[in-house]
Amino acid sequence: MAKENKTRYALLGFLSSQPASGYEIKKKMEQSTNHFWREGDSSIYPILKQLLDEGMVTCALGNKESDKPKKVYAITHDGQLELQEWLKENPVYYPHRNELLLKIFFGWNVKTAISINHIENFRHIVKSVINDYQAKTHNVVENKLTQKQLYQYLTLKAGIIYSEASIRWCDDAIKLLKKRVK
Amino acid sequence: MAKENKTRYALLGFLSSQPASGYEIKKKMEQSTNHFWREGDSSIYPILKQLLDEGMVTCALGNKESDKPKKVYAITHDGQLELQEWLKENPVYYPHRNELLLKIFFGWNVKTAISINHIENFRHIVKSVINDYQAKTHNVVENKLTQKQLYQYLTLKAGIIYSEASIRWCDDAIKLLKKRVK
DNA sequence: TCGCACATGTAATGAGTTACATGATTCC
DNA sequence: GGAATCATGTAACTCATTACATGTGCGA
């Protein structure tokens, strides 16, 4: 079975919300799905073109006021259907690789201080990510959200819960390792 | 900058513990690092060969008693050094893709029941994974572990903490979605 | 005028996955 | 005898990333 390209569904999904250019989609991704889904700078344009050829999206040039070379894509009925079909299918759970854990796993080959350092660095990164999340959720009232906002909020919450779990593991691991080192 | 192949370090890491054949390494991976690092069936043999060419490992044929076509690899001094150099470097944090969250993010395009169903399926999978972890840790006494076992234990604990976080998110998300649907 | 953000693309690399291919041994 | 596991590998394909390439509009 060929590996399916899922970027197309991400693009269709964003366009199902409102028409946008490739660049705008990329910016929106960075703001909203960055912690669980991101695309490279150049992967997005070829696939938009492909979707256009397949009739899943339409393309209109620029907005009338300015003459910027901007292509605004919009989803078609076929595109909506394909998106919905995909949304109904069971998602696949990739086992993701974690290089930090691999280094910890083999940590007995180096000084304990090195492993502790890796974990502390990771903890710093996660801390700053949590701040980001909190800025985005701190004035959210759960039962005042629109349907669309609720779903976005759920993915944000996933980010928070996983990050907090990371912090807990870091603290635990550092404590155990420091006990050994002294 | 070329993307670095990290499989080699995983192999060196396992061989730093004890000599083994490619197949044995694969089996050990499945038992120990499967939740944060796994290799495809066929990715492991070419890289062992490459490590052999580079002098990072040696290769001895079979064990004397049986004449199985088994190649037992052992790490060399150079291999140990390369492993340690890599262990000292700061790990890279990949943003991993999560297809479930992407489907949830665009969930307002389909019936709420579909999103709830995806989350419930995921919850089942995580539950069975947690049972696995617990079987492996239920008789561990933290301060009786050897250095090597401690590091392995830390990665196991990471698996547990992340899985528990997943369950918490699932319960949370299902509750919020069910409130909307009724 | 210089640099930055906007805006769209192509080409090359290499990594990961899947399918394919082979053959021995062990257990039922 | 047949199935599962042990054991090693090759080939093809897809995907993701990186670097490259080009051009506009705007503010300091």
Side-chain angles (χ1 to χ4, degrees):
Chain A
M1 210 188 310
K3 206 176 168 183
E4 227 188 336
N5 187 355
K6 271 133 196 184
T7 299
R8 56 186 290 120
Y9 301 112
L11 297 180
L12 287 174
F14 276 99
L15 292 177
S16 75
S17 193
Q18 57 178 300
S21 69
Y23 192 79
E24 285 168 346
I25 293 174
K26 225 191 85 194
K27 290 289 145 189
K28 273 193 204 166
M29 272 190 182
E30 279 168 20
Q31 285 163 30
S32 56
T33 69
N34 216 38
H35 63 293
F36 61 91
W37 201 275
R38 56 178 82 175
E39 297 289 343
D41 285 33
S42 53
S43 60
I44 197 163
Y45 296 108
I47 292 176
L48 276 174
K49 205 176 173 184
Q50 193 187 307
L51 287 170
L52 186 65
D53 290 341
E54 297 173 32
M56 300 299 168
V57 299
T58 58
C59 178
L61 279 172
N63 41 17
K64 293 111 203 174
E65 298 98 64
S66 78
D67 46 348
K68 281 183 196 170
K70 193 172 162 184
K71 293 182 182 175
V72 180
Y73 292 90
I75 195 165
T76 64
H77 184 65
D78 279 359
Q80 266 289 344
L81 288 181
E82 207 202 335
L83 174 63
Q84 281 167 2
E85 280 315 303
W86 174 73
L87 286 171
K88 286 177 198 166
E89 282 166 30
N90 271 324
V92 179
Y93 303 103
Y94 293 110
H96 56 273
R97 290 182 163 192
N98 186 322
E99 199 185 337
L100 172 63
L101 286 184
L102 191 62
K103 292 203 183 197
I104 298 304
F105 188 79
F106 297 129
W108 47 273
N109 283 287
V110 288
K111 285 183 187 153
T112 312
I114 291 174
S115 298
I116 292 175
N117 197 249
H118 287 334
I119 299 173
E120 279 172 346
N121 284 339
F122 176 60
R123 199 185 186 283
H124 281 133
I125 294 171
V126 176
K127 264 285 171 195
S128 75
V129 170
I130 288 183
N131 288 340
D132 260 26
Y133 292 143
Q134 264 157 3
K136 283 181 185 166
T137 50
H138 87 287
N139 53 0
V140 167
V141 183
E142 283 186 357
N143 41 6
K144 292 239 169 118
L145 295 169
T146 67
Q147 201 74 343
K148 211 189 274 190
Q149 287 170 334
L150 174 66
Y151 284 102
Q152 184 165 3
Y153 174 71
L154 288 180
T155 60
L156 247 178
K157 226 170 171 191
I160 293 175
I161 287 179
Y162 281 116
S163 299
E164 286 172 348
S166 296
I167 296 286
R168 238 173 305 126
W169 176 76
C170 287
D171 290 342
D172 236 54
I174 291 171
K175 208 171 79 185
L176 272 174
L177 287 174
K178 282 197 171 161
K179 234 191 255 177
R180 295 286 175 127
V181 91
K182 68 144 190 281
Chain B
M1 211 192 308
K3 207 175 169 183
E4 227 189 336
N5 186 354
K6 274 139 196 177
T7 299
R8 55 184 292 117
Y9 301 114
L11 298 180
L12 287 175
F14 276 99
L15 293 178
S16 74
S17 192
Q18 56 177 299
S21 70
Y23 192 79
E24 284 168 345
I25 293 174
K26 226 193 84 195
K27 289 291 144 186
K28 272 193 205 168
M29 273 190 180
E30 279 169 19
Q31 286 164 29
S32 55
T33 69
N34 216 38
H35 62 293
F36 61 91
W37 202 274
R38 57 178 82 173
E39 297 289 344
D41 286 33
S42 53
S43 61
I44 196 163
Y45 295 108
I47 293 175
L48 275 174
K49 205 177 173 182
Q50 193 186 307
L51 287 170
L52 185 65
D53 290 341
E54 296 173 33
M56 299 299 168
V57 299
T58 57
C59 178
L61 278 171
N63 40 17
K64 294 111 203 175
E65 298 98 66
S66 77
D67 45 348
K68 281 183 195 170
K70 193 172 164 185
K71 293 183 182 177
V72 179
Y73 292 90
I75 196 166
T76 63
H77 185 65
D78 279 1
Q80 265 290 341
L81 288 181
E82 208 202 333
L83 174 63
Q84 282 167 1
E85 280 314 302
W86 174 73
L87 286 171
K88 286 178 199 165
E89 283 166 31
N90 272 324
V92 179
Y93 302 102
Y94 293 109
H96 56 272
R97 290 183 162 191
N98 186 323
E99 200 185 333
L100 171 65
L101 286 184
L102 190 63
K103 293 203 182 195
I104 298 304
F105 188 80
F106 297 130
W108 46 272
N109 284 287
V110 288
K111 284 184 188 151
T112 312
I114 290 174
S115 298
I116 292 175
N117 197 249
H118 287 333
I119 299 173
E120 279 172 346
N121 283 339
F122 176 60
R123 198 184 187 283
H124 281 133
I125 293 170
V126 176
K127 264 286 171 194
S128 75
V129 170
I130 288 184
N131 287 341
D132 259 26
Y133 292 143
Q134 265 155 3
K136 283 180 186 166
T137 51
H138 87 286
N139 53 359
V140 167
V141 183
E142 283 186 358
N143 40 8
K144 292 240 171 121
L145 296 169
T146 67
Q147 201 75 344
K148 211 190 274 190
Q149 286 171 332
L150 174 67
Y151 284 102
Q152 183 166 2
Y153 174 70
L154 289 179
T155 60
L156 246 178
K157 228 173 169 189
I160 293 174
I161 288 179
Y162 281 116
S163 299
E164 287 172 348
S166 296
I167 297 286
R168 241 175 300 127
W169 175 77
C170 288
D171 291 341
D172 235 55
I174 290 171
K175 208 171 80 185
L176 272 174
L177 287 174
K178 282 197 171 161
K179 232 190 255 175
R180 294 286 174 127
V181 92
K182 68 143 191 279

